[in-house]
Amino acid sequence: MLTLTLLVLAFMLIIFGILGSVLPALPGPPLAWAGLLLFFFIPGIEMSYWLLGITLFFTLLVSILDYVIPAKGTKKFGGSSYGVWGTNIGLVVGLFLPPFGFLIGPFLGAFIGEIYHNANNPKGALKAAVGSFVGFLASTFMKVFFCMILFGILLYKTILNWGLLNGNVFGN
């Protein structure tokens, strides 16, 4: 029963990690990595410290870059922190406006944030909003891609250890 519980929790954490790569309230890569870590607590699964260490390093790197990339994108296009905050607020609001709110919200949020910051320069606000949005998309893609890699590792390790897992879960 412990094996099944840990296996289900590991997959749930990875799935929440993938979702968290898109949703601003959940820390995607750390959740996904926690799922991978949980998998190695299943009795009989050989602990791979190298795999955990390398994936932890990349989890930390991706988590740091998640803050750096949107800010750099905004700054590169002449924006301010108002554009970055507008992107995040727009994302949250956009989640409640399917199907395209998820994409339109961050862009409009960045634009409104930049207009609020400097109402005399709508052209600059539009340029900064584009930069903030591009940074947001790049960061989101990076997180989803990384979490999918962690999902692939978990799936591979599950298939590799299926005989052991099958015996522990179903008592065969």
Side-chain angles (χ1 to χ4, degrees), residues 132-161:
S132 181
F133 185 65
V134 167
F136 161 76
L137 287 179
S139 177
T140 301
F141 175 78
M142 174 189 64
K143 291 185 300 183
V144 169
F145 183 75
F146 178 71
C147 287
M148 292 302 289
I149 289 172
L150 293 180
F151 178 77
I153 291 170
L154 181 64
L155 193 59
Y156 173 76
K157 290 289 190 178
T158 301
I159 292 168
L160 202 62
N161 291 285

Side-chain angles (χ1 to χ4, degrees), residues 21-81:
S21 297
V22 177
L23 302 173
L26 296 173
L31 281 175
W33 186 82
L36 191 62
L37 175 66
L38 205 56
F39 177 78
F40 285 105
F41 284 112
I42 294 175
I45 299 294
E46 187 176 320
M47 179 69 75
S48 176
Y49 294 108
W50 278 104
L51 178 65
L52 286 175
I54 291 168
T55 54
L56 176 61
F57 170 77
F58 281 107
T59 298
L60 295 173
L61 181 65
V62 166
S63 296
I64 291 167
L65 288 175
D66 181 36
Y67 290 100
V68 173
I69 290 174
K72 290 289 185 187
T74 301
K75 295 291 182 191
K76 185 165 178 73
F77 282 77
S80 68
S81 62

